Amino acid sequence: MSRKEIEHVERHPKVILICDKVDELGGVSDVISSQITAFRVLTKFRDIKDVIIDSAPHVLILAMPSVSASIELYKTLVEQGLLDYPHENILLCENKESGVGFRCCMKHIFCDYFVYKPMYENYRLRMILHNALLRCENAHDTTHIREEHFGNIDESLKQLIDDASAYHTDAQHTLSTARKNIDQAKGVNDIQTALMNELKAQHINPLLDQLEQKLAMSIEELTNSLKNKQLSLAELSALLIEKSLPETNQKVTDYQNDKPAQNKPEAESQYIKIMVIEDNEIYREMISKILINAGHNVEAVSSGLIAIKKLKKQKYNMIFMDLFMPELDGYNTTRNIRNISHCKNLPIVALTSNKNKDLIRKWATLGLTAYIAKPSTKQSILKAVEKAKRAIAS
């Protein structure tokens, strides 16, 4: 389904996305439309008004240029009596206004909020929409989370999640039913009722409390088990040094030999020349600032194509590179960089929030120095620089 179809084909949407710039909401539209077909993007107030009057959509998602603009628009819709029916409202905001978004939810202006600039957690948006639709009256048939929405999850991990969910639901239901039956139980006379109440207060209720505590502890243990099943950074590091991956653990002798003699002191000095390849402006500036404050010479670019052009003309000591970028992703950018004579063994540090082992393994075959998960810490970034410096000096 194209973005144009998403905007215009649905006459009676159950979810509407209200914004002023459709082209900035592509990722959000893709996530929503993959989960529910009864969806429409609206930009004009007249259209918004007509659709609400005609369809009474279950969920309103507001993504105006600022949180204050979203609040004003929602306030206007309320004041005109257009939203006098049960509905859910979700705020989309930029990362810099996430604190304001959180406060709006705490003040019950919006049911939930989601940071879409930058858009890191599309699974969280799926969850927010899914739960919002389930809370709406008669909306249970509109939301269908399919297996492909969860990404690549190990079968044993899926089973563990299902077991934990079933265990938690059944146990909670059993305890809730037991409490209800006990509370409703009465004796044949006042004396017997008093004795039963005393028995409940002294013995039965404390026992149920203990069972609920044990249930909570069991769920925590299952949660820890889930976490232990997830791909860890240690596993990813191991992937980068497996013997089956060529060039990964190899010394960068070719790179050293290709460098002019006058550049050698720079590589062996405390500070080095670094390129940051990251399409997300906020994240790009964050990494650059950390490196610049540490004294390094940094050049930041927004795409792999720009990086390749610069690398053909200039030499750098190392690269920080994102995996998912427009035009050319990290894997194909790295593949092109390795075809540049003086970059065959240039240290490259991978940046990504993706934990797909096969994807990381594929990227690592091109020769990676390290892997850093997003969001990154200052310590992990500087540690990667030190690792690259050791590789250059060896």
Side-chain angles (χ1 to χ4, degrees), residues 286 289-291 293-294 376-384:
M286 182 271 288
K289 186 176 181 181
I290 290 173
L291 296 172
N293 289 342
S376 312
T377 64
K378 177 181 178 181
Q379 182 181 10
S380 64
I381 292 170
L382 296 181
K383 186 176 180 181

Side-chain angles (χ1 to χ4, degrees), residues 15-22 25 28-29 32 39-49 51-52 57 59-66 69-70 73-74 77 82-83 85 87-93 110 116:
V15 177
I16 60 173
L17 173 59
I18 302 172
C19 62
D20 67 332
K21 294 182 180 179
V22 178
L25 276 297
V28 173
S29 295
I32 299 173
F39 163 58
R40 187 170 174 184
V41 179
L42 302 170
T43 58
K44 297 179 181 179
F45 186 80
R46 179 179 295 179
D47 293 338
I48 297 169
K49 183 176 179 179
V51 169
I52 291 176
V59 180
L60 284 73
I61 304 175
L62 289 90
M64 299 304 287
S66 66
S70 293
L73 176 58
Y74 186 74
L77 295 173
L82 300 173
L83 298 175
Y85 66 92
H87 65 276
E88 296 275 321
N89 60 345
I90 300 169
L91 170 70
L92 299 190
C93 63
F110 297 101
Y116 78 104

Side-chain angles (χ1 to χ4, degrees), residues 270-286:
Q270 183 179 358
Y271 307 118
I272 60 176
K273 188 175 181 180
I274 303 172
M275 175 179 281
V276 177
I277 312 172
E278 168 64 68
D279 65 300
N280 185 285
E281 182 179 358
I282 295 175
Y283 204 75
R284 185 170 68 245
E285 291 180 355
M286 182 271 288

Side-chain angles (χ1 to χ4, degrees), residues 318-381:
M318 72 172 295
I319 292 175
F320 281 90
M321 189 189 309
D322 184 27
L323 174 56
F324 293 107
M325 296 184 292
E327 298 176 340
L328 204 63
D329 63 14
Y331 172 78
N332 286 296
T333 300
T334 302
R335 191 171 64 176
N336 279 274
I337 289 174
R338 292 305 185 210
N339 289 328
I340 301 173
S341 59
H342 60 270
C343 296
K344 293 187 181 297
N345 290 286
L346 177 63
I348 296 177
V349 176
L351 299 168
T352 183
S353 57
N354 191 292
K355 293 183 178 180
N356 186 315
K357 266 198 289 191
D358 293 334
L359 187 60
I360 300 301
R361 184 189 297 273
K362 179 182 176 183
W363 196 7
T365 59
L366 299 176
L368 296 177
T369 303
Y371 172 96
I372 298 180
K374 290 182 177 180
S376 312
T377 64
K378 177 181 178 181
Q379 182 181 10
S380 64
I381 292 170

Side-chain angles (χ1 to χ4, degrees), residues 235 237-249 361:
E235 288 179 89
S237 297
L239 286 176
L240 298 179
I241 59 174
E242 284 184 1
K243 293 181 180 179
S244 59
L245 304 183
E247 306 295 338
T248 305
N249 198 32
R361 184 189 297 273

